[in-house]
């Protein structure tokens, strides 16, 4: 792909995201989502591999369906109430259709099936965009319409997401698929709290994006996309592998790291809302995800490859680690002590 084409697609992504997050009218929000979808498709399919083309096709079909549902819910609400304002969504059927549309856009269960397949067919940098930037516009729409949505439905979808994200990631060997199921699991945490404390959803999303960006950029630097090659990276970049271990533990939400902050606050808020059983269930289900994060961390740092491995031993990297990864790693592991400032 030429640099000019890459520049056009990247600027279109930024434009589409900006239009959606800054709009009050349903039509402009929908237009921004469409620009986003069309801009990311060439980035998914740029390798011309059959799997990449398949991923782009799946992505296009699901996003087009979700956009059509979103537009339909906005039109239905306008038909009954005469309002095109995003915050004035009051018709119950329109709210239900919008929940389905946003769940499909985000990859929230039970509309999650497309996400692991699309991520597996994309390059690591595009997979990073799909996991973070592409979820920002639908997340802002969820934030703006949160008072109108059904909290019970969102709670059930959130628990289902966390369960499926944990269970289905257990037997994966492809790192992109593991990170896709990790994303589905994290979306459950965001969805369960959005009706009660929407700002916590956004905080969770920002911190999740930060930590996921660190993981993807690290994997991109060490050129690894499956567990068997991850086992050979210790000989190549020991320091970066150690940082990857800490970042994965942060993504799992273990206490001294940044990733613990949103989970702690969400559990606290759910308990205040008399939803202690839901908080208990979602906390226990996140232990499933912890297993595959530990598996990744174990492969990255603790396993030395056997002599029968099919992969060539890697030499030490001569070039230094990019400073962006160093900054991202620091923030994705050490923000917990300054959490009162964030809040």
């Amino acid at each position: 792909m030429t640099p000019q084409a890459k520049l056009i697609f990247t600027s279109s992504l930024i434009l589409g995201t900006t239009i959606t997050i800054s709009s009050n009218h349903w039509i402009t929000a929908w237009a921004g989502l469409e620009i986003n979808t069309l801009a990311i498709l060439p980035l998914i399919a740029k390798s011309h591999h059959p799997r990449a083309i398949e991923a782009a096709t799946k992505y296009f079909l699901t996003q087009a369906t979700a956009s059509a549902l979103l537009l339909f819910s906005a039109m239905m609400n306008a038909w009954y109430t005469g309002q095109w304002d995003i915050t004035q969504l009051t018709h119950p059927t329109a709210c239900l259709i919008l929940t389905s549309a946003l769940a499909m856009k985000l990859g929230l269960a039970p509309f999650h099936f497309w996400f692991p397949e699309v991520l597996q067919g994309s390059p690591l940098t595009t997979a990073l965009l799909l996991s973070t930037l592409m979820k920002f516009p639908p997340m802002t729409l969820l934030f703006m319409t949160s008072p109108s949505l059904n909290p019970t439905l969102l709670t059930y979808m959130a628990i289902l997401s966390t369960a499926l994200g944990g269970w289905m990631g257990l037997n994966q060997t492809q790192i992109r698929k593991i990170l896709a199921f990790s994303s589905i699991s994290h979306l459950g945490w965001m969805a369960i709290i959005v009706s009660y404390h929407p700002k916590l959803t956004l905080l969770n999303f920002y911190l999740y994006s930060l930590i996921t960006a660190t993981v993807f950029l690290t994997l991109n630097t060490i050129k690894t996309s499956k567990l068997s090659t991850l086992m050979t990276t210790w000989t190549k970049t020991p320091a970066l592998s150690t940082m990857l271990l800490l970042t994965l533990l942060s993504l799992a939400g273990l206490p001294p790291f940044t990733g613990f902050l949103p989970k702690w606050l969400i559990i606290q808020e759910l308990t205040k809302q008399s939803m202690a059983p839901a908080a208990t269930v979602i906390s226990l289900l996140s232990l499933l995800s912890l297993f595959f994060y530990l598996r990744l961390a174990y492969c990255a740092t603790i396993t030395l490859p056997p002599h029968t491995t099919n992969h060539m031993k890697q030499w030490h990297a001569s070039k230094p680690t990019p400073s962006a990864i160093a900054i991202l790693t620091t923030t994705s592991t050490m923000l917990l002590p300054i959490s009162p400032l964030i809040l």
Side-chain angles (χ1 to χ4, degrees), residues 231-311:
M231 288 180 190
T232 63
T233 55
W234 178 257
T235 52
K236 184 184 177 188
T237 48
L240 203 54
S241 297
T242 311
M243 289 295 100
L244 182 62
L245 162 74
L246 295 178
T247 312
L248 285 165
L249 294 180
S250 180
L251 193 58
L254 290 183
F257 302 113
T258 308
F260 177 61
L261 175 64
K263 291 191 175 180
W264 175 25
L265 295 172
I266 287 171
I267 290 168
Q268 193 178 345
E269 185 62 33
L270 286 174
T271 314
K272 281 183 194 169
Q273 300 287 347
S274 306
M275 287 180 68
T280 309
V281 169
I282 203 166
S283 305
L284 289 172
L285 288 171
S286 70
L287 291 175
L288 292 167
S289 317
L290 175 63
F291 175 80
F292 59 72
Y293 294 127
L294 286 175
R295 189 167 162 221
L296 273 173
Y298 182 83
C299 287
T301 53
I302 303 167
T303 314
L304 283 175
H307 296 297
T308 54
T309 179
N310 294 325
H311 297 284

Side-chain angles (χ1 to χ4, degrees), residues 18 89 103 119 188 206 209 248 250 290 316 340:
T18 311
L89 190 77
L119 230 61
Y206 296 147
S209 300
L248 285 165
S250 180
L290 175 63
H316 273 282

